[in-house]
Amino acid sequence: MASTSSLHLSQALLARAVYLHGSSSDRVSLSFPSFSGLKSHSPCKAAATSSRRRGACASTSVVRAAAVETLDQTTEVSLVEKSVNTIRFLAIDAVEKANSGHPGLPMGCAPMGHILYDEVMRYNPKNPTWFNRDRFILSAGHGCMLQYALLHLAGYDSVLEEDLKEFRQWGSRTPGHPENFETVGIEVTTGPLGQGIANAVGLALAEKHLAARFNKPDNEIVDHYTYVILGDGCQMEGISNEACSLAGHWGLGKLIALYDDNHISIDGDTEIAFTENVDQRFEALGWHVIWVKNGNTGYDEIRAAIKEAKAVKDKPTMIKVTTTIGFGSPNKANSYSVHGSALGTKEVDATRKNLGWPYEPFHVPEDVKKHWSRHTPEGAKLEAEWNAKFAEYEKKYSEEAAELKAIITGELPAGWEKALPTYTPESPADATRNLSQQNLNALVKVLPGLLGGSADLASSNMTLLKSYGDFQKNTPEERNVRFGVREHGMGAICNGIALHSPGFIPYCATFFVFTDYMRAAIRISALCEAGVIYVMTHDSIGLGEDGPTHQPIEHLASFRAMPNTLMLRPADGNETAGSYKVAVVNRKRPSILALSRQKLTQLPGTSIEGVEKGGYIISDNSSGNKPDVILIGTGSELEIAAAAAEDLRKEGKAVRVVSFVSWELFDEQSDEYKESVLPASVTVRVSIEAGSTFGWQKIVGSQGKAIGIDRFGASAPAGKIYKEFGITKEAVIAAAKELS
Amino acid sequence: MASTSSLHLSQALLARAVYLHGSSSDRVSLSFPSFSGLKSHSPCKAAATSSRRRGACASTSVVRAAAVETLDQTTEVSLVEKSVNTIRFLAIDAVEKANSGHPGLPMGCAPMGHILYDEVMRYNPKNPTWFNRDRFILSAGHGCMLQYALLHLAGYDSVLEEDLKEFRQWGSRTPGHPENFETVGIEVTTGPLGQGIANAVGLALAEKHLAARFNKPDNEIVDHYTYVILGDGCQMEGISNEACSLAGHWGLGKLIALYDDNHISIDGDTEIAFTENVDQRFEALGWHVIWVKNGNTGYDEIRAAIKEAKAVKDKPTMIKVTTTIGFGSPNKANSYSVHGSALGTKEVDATRKNLGWPYEPFHVPEDVKKHWSRHTPEGAKLEAEWNAKFAEYEKKYSEEAAELKAIITGELPAGWEKALPTYTPESPADATRNLSQQNLNALVKVLPGLLGGSADLASSNMTLLKSYGDFQKNTPEERNVRFGVREHGMGAICNGIALHSPGFIPYCATFFVFTDYMRAAIRISALCEAGVIYVMTHDSIGLGEDGPTHQPIEHLASFRAMPNTLMLRPADGNETAGSYKVAVVNRKRPSILALSRQKLTQLPGTSIEGVEKGGYIISDNSSGNKPDVILIGTGSELEIAAAAAEDLRKEGKAVRVVSFVSWELFDEQSDEYKESVLPASVTVRVSIEAGSTFGWQKIVGSQGKAIGIDRFGASAPAGKIYKEFGITKEAVIAAAKELS
């Protein structure tokens, strides 16, 4: 396993950090002697109303004294405190300037933030995407000024002083929540609570998988940790329980979550809605749990906890770090008022006095700057060492190196698309969920980063990779992931996998209707540009007897309306292959494949190339781009449109049949192409789709007719429901005639 | 508290049930002596591959022997077993006839099902909606044949033999998952996993609230339990952790959940994805936990557990009942193959042999029938007793009785709508979230069943009822519910409250974008006809700096496409009041109110009556229903449309401004009315809405223009984003001119 050497390396780094701390000068703290300790006007005063806070505060001085005694490094501690206060005031000042934002978390979490970025984590600020970096996720994304301050101190070019001053402004690189597509150095987009911790599970899964697949006894080329800071809000969300249950099950030993236990959420003390025993819950989930009682100033406690967490290799660790939200603010600390609003000039001044901070807004003291400056050369060195290691690896294990490289760079192997299966009208009728499985099993042979699974429906979604076993605690090199009945966690974990390395192509599956359970994660895929493939089967009333709770109606429309999302509904084998081609190529947006439970005919005229255009003609007996009628179908209803066309043609009509597999892709075509498929002059248009007609007016026009379902489904055999709901060839023919 | 006397009552019932069992004849089991015990061909055979199963099976005979020894009621046990096997075979036979369904759960859960419906629960089969009935929720809804069989035996007219034979067929009363709107006696719609247990939390909350509000020391008029059966799938879903965390926090002592711990889900043994310690997690959530090791035949164990659960009054109880899925099937028990498919003729025969069941399909043995027949008179008696109690209550506490009656019947107090606030154009500009709070606080004075709260955003969503305190463990009579950051659980809990009694009007709140977290629960509101009010604030890019993760774009469209859902986006005070009027009146569909964070002008022409029509004219300077231009807006953009109209009118145009507050309500108006608002002849139509344009083509027509946002939002002050995204008066004017 990789963990042994990684621990040595990180311990060495820790030791070096301590050494550097000891040797650094401390000019400013000397000229402000009161700085190294809390002033008598302690922020704990504000906490006195909460009995639980009182305990934490009471222990503060004791713990600090003990730390000082042990390490005998008073200068050192004062520089750490100065750095921590720099972080606090960068956050305070930026929120103040924007008059918008969340100062409370950065003020409370600055100590753990400092220790992570300054003492623990391995990264290269000048190449933030260096593959083997430790990953950090701020799951409590509203506290993003913490991370911006840390990136700034650590030397990331993406967050310069002017960026901090532009916090939450139009076009800035410091938006109101962490956005990986806006700020280099941010791993994933967080903010909606609970997503980040689930993303982190995905990142840690990715590391464990790659390490097991590629590491050699003499060369552990994959070896990093994933750190998370999450808050009370993340803990309350169901998604975090789902993801953390899986993390425990998988034994993700290199996942270390720091829980900012500050007992305050927007509505006030968490006592009003959150009195569960979080430690015990995490133990039940199979985590190692540590409690840092003084997260405000107990630096050694935090260090010791992280060290302990790293030593536990078979379990993820949750470090509960009890902190005071808005630490340092004499009148607002430990209250909801510091959570999500600027402190206000008066309280900013009071906080400056209270923490002994004489500087102008946005000032980073020279010794703090100097102290942090070492991360640039150190990061370069870390990467150079790793590059040398990789060169060794490549020499000795060329095949594996090539595969790993493909995952690191995201470059698709030349000719990969030749693996896609092809079909003819003579190929046997089949459900698109089965055809999907043929594609997955063909693609996994050529795409080293393809892996995934289902939320306990593998045998219904048809997602098993037959040549692989299960990704499990002791078989992490395998590629079938078993998510259990945890759709939301599954989606967010896949986002984490996708954003770990560009060559990962995670897929996940459930019934299409249960996208409702994971919609927030799918939206994050779209927003943060994670090319996750959502394999969504049982995509209509065609699933039959399970009834309306299981039958999607509005889901196609709801995803067509979602930005940066590809909603694909293939009709047969060729279209399923085309959908996979599109999904694999589109690494910066998610693809949702709506697939049938029921068998579908292989249709003449369907093609991979057609799918790539989103909408295309599969058959036509008209000439001069002037059909009498255009029939439009998607997925399982395309064969109904085709059958209706045959009948109408027998009656002498010039009928065009258009497959509308992806609205988004069609929208992206040229006006000429669009006109060639849907000429403006032809108003007799009938669409058929076993789902909501919402939105179809755009395609069929004011004079066309959309056949669909604008009510909930029913429990009965599929054929019966189709008939009763009028999703039939006869209905298409009748509509075409009525409009003609 | 109500619990003391209720325990006495239920204990008395239990005693009576046992007495009746002892006195009932047992003809059939006498003629089939082998019936009373498991045949040598034990279903445990199939379980031998799983070590955990082995333990459970090994203890079976011991526990049964002990039970027999203690009670010395061999005849009794044999009748119980016969009843249990009746339940099993009704399920087996119905699934077999439909060739579709889930026999595994009913076969494994028949013992607990029997004990609940035959020995424990208080209900009146001839009046299934009797207010004070115990509620039962099958959270693992796929096992619905269990409940249909129980309702059938218990004498509910909704599930006759012919209904069982029509399982999963078109138009039947026995659909593929439990649907409260199809089958009288089903409390809520379940099937999507985890929803049911969360609904049950809502039902138990409702009981605790009403009991605290209405019970008197001499008359505990509200007093029932809520029972749930949930499975491994429900346990894995995040929503169940959210809801159960709240149940523990609230100390819902009369909520008793039986966890069907069968270790099998669709993908096989739960070991592959679910190895957490569920007992420990529930203890952490503040539940009392009991383990019934032998749920297959340990009747006394199950009885004792329920008795113990009832004795624990300050905590909900989870009884983990270890069972064998498909118990009795010699070749399929304890495997995923029995989860969701018919057994097949051969295995049905083998199971009949194994369990000693000589009867034809769907047969209920006479002694079983006779035994269960007592529930009809007993249920009538229970209700009569309660009616007498209520008459007493009414005499002594007339005011409370009237209020409780309103909640029980759902009748709205006469003239309630007069409480709705009204506004004039001179009223101060305000955010619709604030106006919403004025409505809530006005309505709570006249609507006894109104209660609700927010997912930790009460002070942002503006949902606090100022004249009430918090619903908490020790103050359950209050009406502000604190859900914590648990949107999904919140929605499902509100569904439970709504379906407890017709007069409950639960509301719940979060930011509009986070409907993504609770969409599955909202869909269930729509499907199961629960008139929950969703108070969704921060409804567009108008929230500003929080950025794209917090800015809804596609959400309006996504709900407009959802059947039986009212999506309302009011523009000012009158429209907010109108939206509340609609929401309160519509008790059989949910209303989603999209409300602004930012201040909005009170507009001339808006009205409650207008809102009730969905779309209506707020100003017009044309004549003869022939405006040059129709400008259409919703919510915060209606004032932009109104301002654009003023400018255009100054230039001599005849301009109509239409508020399109609810598409669904407009769709329900007559063709004449629609033509009077949107005359077909007027094709110059411009819509403006700060959301996806998806779907707007239906309103503006092929020649109109929809101004909206078809990309993700941005982090910046709201005004800046509106400008950059072109959601402006200038854009409306330009579009109108371009089209004219």
Side-chain angles (χ1 to χ4, degrees):
Chain A
M1 284 302 298
S3 15
T4 314
S5 81
S6 81
L7 188 73
H8 291 165
L9 180 52
S10 52
Q11 281 171 332
L13 276 174
L14 194 64
R16 181 166 50 200
V18 169
Y19 171 73
L20 285 168
H21 293 177
S23 68
S24 66
S25 71
D26 192 36
R27 277 183 304 124
V28 180
S29 80
L30 286 175
S31 44
F32 295 94
S34 64
F35 167 67
S36 63
L38 285 170
K39 304 281 278 256
S40 59
H41 190 185
S42 158
C44 286
K45 198 195 68 169
T49 47
S50 158
S51 59
R52 290 194 301 179
R53 286 272 75 68
R54 220 178 293 135
C57 277
S59 68
T60 301
S61 57
V62 180
V63 173
R64 284 194 63 247
V68 169
E69 199 176 31
T70 313
L71 297 178
D72 194 27
Q73 287 180 323
T74 45
T75 331
E76 167 48 26
V77 172
S78 76
L79 184 58
V80 170
E81 287 213 330
K82 198 168 185 177
S83 167
V84 165
N85 280 335
T86 304
I87 296 162
R88 290 194 177 114
F89 281 98
L90 288 177
I92 291 169
D93 295 338
V95 171
E96 202 62 22
K97 184 161 192 297
N99 192 25
S100 172
H102 301 76
L105 182 142
M107 292 166 77
C109 291
M112 54 181 127
H114 167 88
I115 289 171
L116 283 173
Y117 268 83
D118 191 50
E119 302 178 11
V120 174
M121 280 169 54
R122 295 175 301 173
Y123 57 87
N124 180 5
K126 300 306 174 193
N127 180 13
T129 61
W130 168 46
F131 165 74
N132 203 40
R133 70 194 179 277
D134 287 335
R135 268 67 169 178
F136 173 77
I137 309 293
L138 184 64
S139 189
H142 52 273
C144 56
M145 263 313 305
L146 172 72
Q147 200 172 359
Y148 298 148
L150 290 165
L151 293 175
H152 178 60
L153 291 178
Y156 286 75
D157 297 326
S158 49
V159 188
L160 307 176
E161 188 180 328
E162 61 252 39
D163 298 305
L164 295 175
K165 288 178 174 166
E166 284 293 294
F167 180 52
R168 294 188 154 225
Q169 302 310 303
W170 179 261
S172 86
R173 295 192 287 192
T174 47
H177 287 84
E179 318 277 15
N180 59 313
F181 54 94
E182 298 279 13
T183 317
V184 178
I186 300 286
E187 302 286 352
V188 300
T189 287
T190 57
L193 295 174
Q195 298 291 332
I197 175 69
N199 298 155
V201 173
L203 289 164
L205 178 157
E207 196 272 348
K208 188 174 168 108
H209 172 71
L210 292 180
R213 220 167 119 184
F214 294 105
N215 284 0
K216 304 289 177 184
D218 67 341
N219 193 328
E220 300 192 333
I221 193 67
V222 183
D223 169 25
H224 73 78
Y225 284 84
T226 302
Y227 298 95
V228 197
I229 293 180
L230 74 164
D232 291 305
C234 293
Q235 293 287 23
M236 288 188 246
E237 291 285 5
I239 183 178
S240 66
N241 194 71
E242 291 181 7
C244 291
S245 179
L246 282 169
H249 172 74
W250 290 327
L252 300 179
K254 289 163 95 175
L255 172 62
I256 299 175
L258 296 99
Y259 162 35
D260 176 28
D261 171 47
N262 65 31
H263 293 288
I264 295 292
S265 63
I266 293 176
D267 278 353
D269 196 295
T270 53
E271 283 285 338
I272 66 172
F274 187 50
T275 49
E276 66 178 54
N277 186 330
V278 177
D279 308 30
Q280 194 186 359
R281 176 160 63 87
F282 271 77
E283 276 163 16
L285 299 182
W287 286 53
H288 181 66
V289 177
I290 308 171
W291 183 17
V292 170
K293 294 193 181 66
N294 171 19
N296 294 330
T297 56
Y299 306 113
D300 283 347
E301 271 189 84
I302 297 171
R303 291 179 183 119
I306 294 173
K307 197 174 164 189
E308 180 182 330
K310 284 183 158 186
V312 175
K313 305 213 172 83
D314 60 341
K315 289 177 172 189
T317 295
M318 188 193 69
I319 307 173
K320 183 169 86 168
V321 188
T322 298
T323 68
T324 303
I325 191 170
F327 181 91
S329 160
N331 304 302
K332 293 192 168 181
N334 196 37
S335 80
Y336 72 91
S337 65
V338 80
H339 167 88
S341 313
L343 294 178
T345 319
K346 217 175 123 184
E347 188 65 11
V348 170
D349 288 348
T351 307
R352 278 189 146 73
K353 278 205 191 74
N354 186 42
L355 292 177
W357 198 252
Y359 308 107
E360 288 299 294
F362 298 103
H363 182 73
V364 179
E366 274 311 310
D367 48 352
V368 172
K369 208 177 277 181
K370 191 180 160 200
H371 173 73
W372 279 84
S373 68
R374 78 188 190 290
H375 288 290
T376 295
E378 273 183 17
K381 193 162 163 252
L382 284 171
E383 182 171 353
E385 283 164 6
W386 186 85
N387 286 339
K389 204 170 168 184
F390 188 80
E392 284 293 312
Y393 186 91
E394 209 166 14
K395 238 182 275 171
K396 222 161 155 185
Y397 312 105
S398 65
E399 207 172 307
E400 291 94 328
E403 205 165 286
L404 177 57
K405 218 170 184 174
I407 292 173
I408 294 174
T409 62
E411 206 175 308
L412 295 171
W416 68 272
E417 68 274 12
K418 287 181 198 131
L420 291 167
T422 52
Y423 303 85
T424 68
E426 289 69 41
S427 304
D430 208 344
T432 47
R433 61 174 170 151
N434 292 331
L435 299 161
S436 163
Q437 189 168 37
Q438 293 170 11
N439 277 271
L440 283 170
N441 278 282
L443 287 172
V444 78
K445 291 184 184 135
V446 293
L447 300 175
L450 186 75
L451 85 177
S454 161
D456 194 46
L457 289 168
S459 52
S460 290
N461 301 140
M462 307 305 293
T463 48
L464 281 184
L465 303 170
K466 292 171 185 172
S467 45
Y468 289 90
D470 285 357
F471 173 91
Q472 292 288 1
K473 187 172 184 171
N474 297 319
T475 52
E477 69 282 8
E478 299 291 352
R479 287 157 81 172
N480 285 303
V481 185
R482 303 290 197 162
F483 290 101
V485 192
R486 303 183 184 93
E487 298 82 7
H488 201 179
M490 173 173 73
I493 288 169
C494 285
N495 285 337
I497 297 171
L499 295 175
H500 182 280
S501 294
F504 268 121
I505 308 181
Y507 67 90
C508 64
T510 183
F511 290 165
F512 189 33
V513 79
F514 298 137
T515 50
D516 286 348
Y517 274 69
M518 58 192 306
R519 194 170 169 91
I522 297 176
R523 191 176 205 256
I524 294 283
S525 303
L527 180 59
C528 78
E529 302 176 353
V532 176
I533 304 178
Y534 291 92
V535 180
M536 297 292 147
T537 71
H538 296 60
D539 74 341
S540 77
I541 51 163
L543 64 86
E545 290 88 343
D546 274 343
T549 50
H550 285 53
Q551 292 165 354
I553 296 290
E554 69 279 18
H555 299 75
L556 291 165
S558 80
F559 287 111
R560 286 172 184 151
M562 186 181 276
N564 203 41
T565 305
L566 289 172
M567 179 70 248
L568 297 137
R569 190 162 186 253
D572 66 0
N574 288 329
E575 289 205 350
T576 304
S579 297
Y580 271 98
K581 184 171 180 198
V582 165
V584 169
V585 166
N586 277 274
R587 298 287 77 234
K588 297 231 162 191
R589 49 180 169 174
S591 295
I592 305 174
L593 276 60
L595 303 165
S596 75
R597 177 193 185 213
Q598 70 271 34
K599 276 192 184 178
L600 304 176
T601 310
Q602 307 288 351
L603 294 167
T606 57
S607 69
I608 291 175
E609 300 70 37
V611 173
E612 291 178 294
K613 294 200 165 75
Y616 67 106
I617 301 166
I618 65 157
S619 74
D620 195 353
N621 66 331
S622 73
S623 55
N625 203 21
K626 282 188 180 167
D628 301 324
V629 186
I630 302 179
L631 304 183
I632 308 164
T634 77
S636 45
E637 286 67 68
L638 187 61
E639 66 179 34
I640 299 178
E646 270 190 46
D647 282 16
L648 287 167
R649 284 171 193 149
K650 279 180 201 149
E651 297 180 25
K653 295 265 187 197
V655 184
R656 171 176 297 179
V657 179
V658 171
S659 171
F660 229 66
V661 57
S662 167
W663 294 29
E664 300 84 2
L665 292 174
F666 186 74
D667 267 350
E668 291 165 13
Q669 304 306 312
S670 67
D671 287 345
E672 292 68 31
Y673 178 76
K674 288 183 200 166
E675 174 69 16
S676 77
V677 177
L678 297 178
S681 62
V682 182
T683 58
V684 182
R685 302 179 186 184
V686 179
S687 70
I688 182 159
E689 181 173 78
S692 169
T693 60
F694 192 85
W696 271 103
Q697 286 81 4
K698 181 182 172 184
I699 313 299
V700 297
S702 307
Q703 293 159 68
K705 173 153 186 181
I707 296 173
I709 305 167
D710 292 312
R711 50 158 286 183
F712 284 114
S715 172
K720 178 73 178 168
I721 313 177
Y722 266 85
K723 207 175 155 191
E724 293 286 344
F725 283 17
I727 310 297
T728 59
K729 181 180 79 171
E730 291 70 29
V732 175
I733 293 170
K737 288 184 177 170
E738 193 192 313
L739 298 176
S740 296
Chain B
M1 283 303 299
S3 12
T4 314
S5 82
S6 81
L7 187 73
H8 291 163
L9 180 54
S10 51
Q11 281 172 333
L13 276 173
L14 193 66
R16 182 167 51 202
V18 169
Y19 171 74
L20 283 168
H21 291 178
S23 68
S24 67
S25 72
D26 192 37
R27 275 184 306 125
V28 179
S29 80
L30 287 174
S31 45
F32 295 94
S34 65
F35 167 66
S36 64
L38 285 171
K39 306 280 279 255
S40 60
H41 190 185
S42 158
C44 285
K45 195 195 72 172
T49 47
S50 157
S51 60
R52 290 195 301 177
R53 285 271 76 68
R54 220 178 293 137
C57 278
S59 67
T60 301
S61 56
V62 179
V63 172
R64 283 194 64 246
V68 169
E69 200 174 30
T70 313
L71 297 178
D72 194 26
Q73 288 181 324
T74 45
T75 328
E76 168 48 27
V77 172
S78 76
L79 184 58
V80 170
E81 287 214 328
K82 196 167 186 177
S83 166
V84 166
N85 280 336
T86 304
I87 297 162
R88 288 195 178 114
F89 281 98
L90 287 177
I92 291 170
D93 295 337
V95 172
E96 201 62 24
K97 183 162 192 297
N99 192 24
S100 172
H102 301 75
L105 182 141
M107 293 166 77
C109 290
M112 56 182 126
H114 168 88
I115 289 171
L116 283 173
Y117 269 82
D118 191 51
E119 301 178 12
V120 174
M121 280 169 54
R122 295 175 302 171
Y123 56 87
N124 179 5
K126 300 305 173 193
N127 181 12
T129 61
W130 169 45
F131 166 74
N132 204 40
R133 70 193 179 278
D134 286 335
R135 268 68 171 177
F136 172 77
I137 309 293
L138 184 65
S139 190
H142 52 272
C144 55
M145 263 313 304
L146 173 72
Q147 201 173 357
Y148 298 149
L150 291 165
L151 293 176
H152 178 60
L153 291 178
Y156 285 75
D157 297 326
S158 49
V159 188
L160 307 177
E161 188 180 329
E162 61 253 40
D163 297 306
L164 295 175
K165 289 179 174 164
E166 284 293 294
F167 180 53
R168 294 188 154 223
Q169 302 310 304
W170 178 261
S172 86
R173 295 191 289 191
T174 46
H177 287 84
E179 317 276 14
N180 59 313
F181 54 92
E182 298 278 14
T183 317
V184 177
I186 300 286
E187 301 287 352
V188 301
T189 288
T190 57
L193 295 174
Q195 298 290 332
I197 175 69
N199 298 156
V201 173
L203 288 163
L205 178 156
E207 195 274 347
K208 188 174 169 108
H209 172 71
L210 292 180
R213 222 168 119 183
F214 294 106
N215 284 359
K216 304 289 177 184
D218 66 341
N219 194 326
E220 299 192 334
I221 192 68
V222 182
D223 169 25
H224 73 77
Y225 283 83
T226 302
Y227 297 94
V228 197
I229 292 180
L230 74 164
D232 291 305
C234 293
Q235 294 286 24
M236 289 188 246
E237 291 284 4
I239 183 178
S240 67
N241 194 69
E242 291 182 7
C244 291
S245 179
L246 282 170
H249 172 73
W250 290 327
L252 300 179
K254 289 163 94 176
L255 172 63
I256 299 176
L258 296 99
Y259 161 34
D260 176 28
D261 170 49
N262 66 31
H263 293 287
I264 295 292
S265 63
I266 293 176
D267 278 353
D269 197 294
T270 53
E271 283 284 340
I272 66 173
F274 187 50
T275 50
E276 65 178 55
N277 185 332
V278 178
D279 308 31
Q280 194 186 0
R281 176 160 63 86
F282 271 75
E283 276 163 18
L285 299 181
W287 286 53
H288 181 66
V289 177
I290 307 170
W291 182 18
V292 169
K293 296 194 180 65
N294 170 19
N296 294 331
T297 54
Y299 306 113
D300 283 347
E301 271 189 84
I302 297 171
R303 290 178 183 120
I306 294 174
K307 197 174 162 187
E308 180 182 330
K310 284 183 159 187
V312 175
K313 304 212 174 81
D314 60 341
K315 289 178 172 187
T317 295
M318 188 192 71
I319 306 173
K320 183 170 87 169
V321 188
T322 298
T323 69
T324 303
I325 191 171
F327 181 92
S329 159
N331 303 302
K332 294 191 168 182
N334 196 36
S335 80
Y336 72 91
S337 64
V338 79
H339 168 87
S341 312
L343 294 178
T345 319
K346 215 175 125 186
E347 189 65 11
V348 170
D349 288 348
T351 307
R352 277 188 147 71
K353 277 206 191 73
N354 186 41
L355 292 178
W357 198 252
Y359 308 105
E360 288 299 295
F362 298 103
H363 182 73
V364 179
E366 274 311 310
D367 49 352
V368 171
K369 208 178 273 181
K370 189 180 162 203
H371 173 74
W372 280 84
S373 68
R374 79 189 191 288
H375 288 290
T376 295
E378 272 182 18
K381 192 163 163 255
L382 284 172
E383 183 171 354
E385 281 164 6
W386 186 85
N387 286 340
K389 203 171 170 184
F390 189 79
E392 282 294 312
Y393 187 91
E394 210 165 14
K395 240 181 272 169
K396 223 163 155 184
Y397 311 107
S398 65
E399 208 173 306
E400 290 94 327
E403 205 166 284
L404 177 56
K405 217 170 184 172
I407 292 174
I408 293 175
T409 63
E411 206 176 306
L412 295 170
W416 68 271
E417 68 275 11
K418 287 182 198 129
L420 291 167
T422 53
Y423 302 86
T424 69
E426 289 70 42
S427 303
D430 208 345
T432 47
R433 62 174 170 153
N434 293 331
L435 298 161
S436 162
Q437 188 167 38
Q438 292 170 11
N439 278 271
L440 284 171
N441 279 281
L443 287 173
V444 78
K445 291 185 184 132
V446 294
L447 300 175
L450 187 75
L451 85 178
S454 160
D456 195 47
L457 289 168
S459 52
S460 291
N461 301 140
M462 307 306 293
T463 47
L464 280 183
L465 303 171
K466 292 171 184 172
S467 46
Y468 289 91
D470 285 358
F471 172 90
Q472 292 287 2
K473 186 172 185 171
N474 297 317
T475 52
E477 70 281 8
E478 299 291 352
R479 286 157 80 172
N480 285 301
V481 185
R482 303 290 199 162
F483 291 102
V485 192
R486 304 182 183 93
E487 298 83 7
H488 201 180
M490 172 172 74
I493 288 170
C494 285
N495 285 336
I497 298 172
L499 295 176
H500 182 278
S501 295
F504 269 122
I505 308 181
Y507 67 90
C508 64
T510 183
F511 290 165
F512 188 35
V513 79
F514 298 138
T515 50
D516 286 348
Y517 274 69
M518 59 193 305
R519 196 171 168 89
I522 297 176
R523 189 176 207 256
I524 295 283
S525 303
L527 180 59
C528 78
E529 303 176 352
V532 176
I533 304 178
Y534 291 92
V535 180
M536 297 293 146
T537 71
H538 296 60
D539 74 341
S540 77
I541 52 164
L543 64 85
E545 290 89 342
D546 274 343
T549 50
H550 285 52
Q551 292 165 353
I553 297 291
E554 68 279 17
H555 299 74
L556 291 166
S558 80
F559 287 112
R560 286 172 183 151
M562 186 181 276
N564 202 40
T565 305
L566 288 172
M567 179 70 247
L568 297 136
R569 190 162 186 254
D572 65 0
N574 289 328
E575 288 205 349
T576 303
S579 298
Y580 271 98
K581 185 172 178 196
V582 165
V584 169
V585 165
N586 278 274
R587 297 287 77 235
K588 297 229 162 191
R589 49 182 169 174
S591 295
I592 305 173
L593 276 60
L595 303 164
S596 76
R597 178 194 184 213
Q598 70 272 32
K599 276 192 185 179
L600 305 176
T601 310
Q602 307 288 351
L603 294 168
T606 57
S607 69
I608 291 176
E609 300 70 40
V611 173
E612 292 178 293
K613 295 200 164 74
Y616 67 106
I617 301 166
I618 65 158
S619 75
D620 195 353
N621 67 331
S622 72
S623 54
N625 203 21
K626 282 190 180 165
D628 301 323
V629 186
I630 302 177
L631 304 182
I632 309 163
T634 78
S636 45
E637 286 67 67
L638 186 60
E639 66 180 34
I640 299 179
E646 270 190 45
D647 282 16
L648 286 166
R649 285 170 193 151
K650 279 179 201 149
E651 295 179 26
K653 296 266 188 195
V655 185
R656 171 176 297 178
V657 179
V658 171
S659 171
F660 228 67
V661 56
S662 167
W663 294 28
E664 300 85 2
L665 292 175
F666 186 75
D667 266 349
E668 292 165 13
Q669 304 306 313
S670 66
D671 287 344
E672 293 68 30
Y673 179 77
K674 288 183 200 166
E675 174 68 15
S676 78
V677 177
L678 297 178
S681 62
V682 182
T683 59
V684 182
R685 303 179 185 183
V686 179
S687 71
I688 182 159
E689 182 175 77
S692 169
T693 62
F694 192 85
W696 271 103
Q697 286 81 4
K698 180 182 172 184
I699 313 298
V700 297
S702 307
Q703 294 160 68
K705 175 154 185 180
I707 296 174
I709 305 167
D710 293 312
R711 51 156 287 183
F712 285 114
S715 173
K720 179 72 178 169
I721 312 176
Y722 265 85
K723 209 176 151 190
E724 293 285 345
F725 283 17
I727 311 297
T728 59
K729 182 180 78 170
E730 292 70 29
V732 175
I733 294 170
K737 288 184 177 171
E738 194 193 313
L739 297 176
S740 296

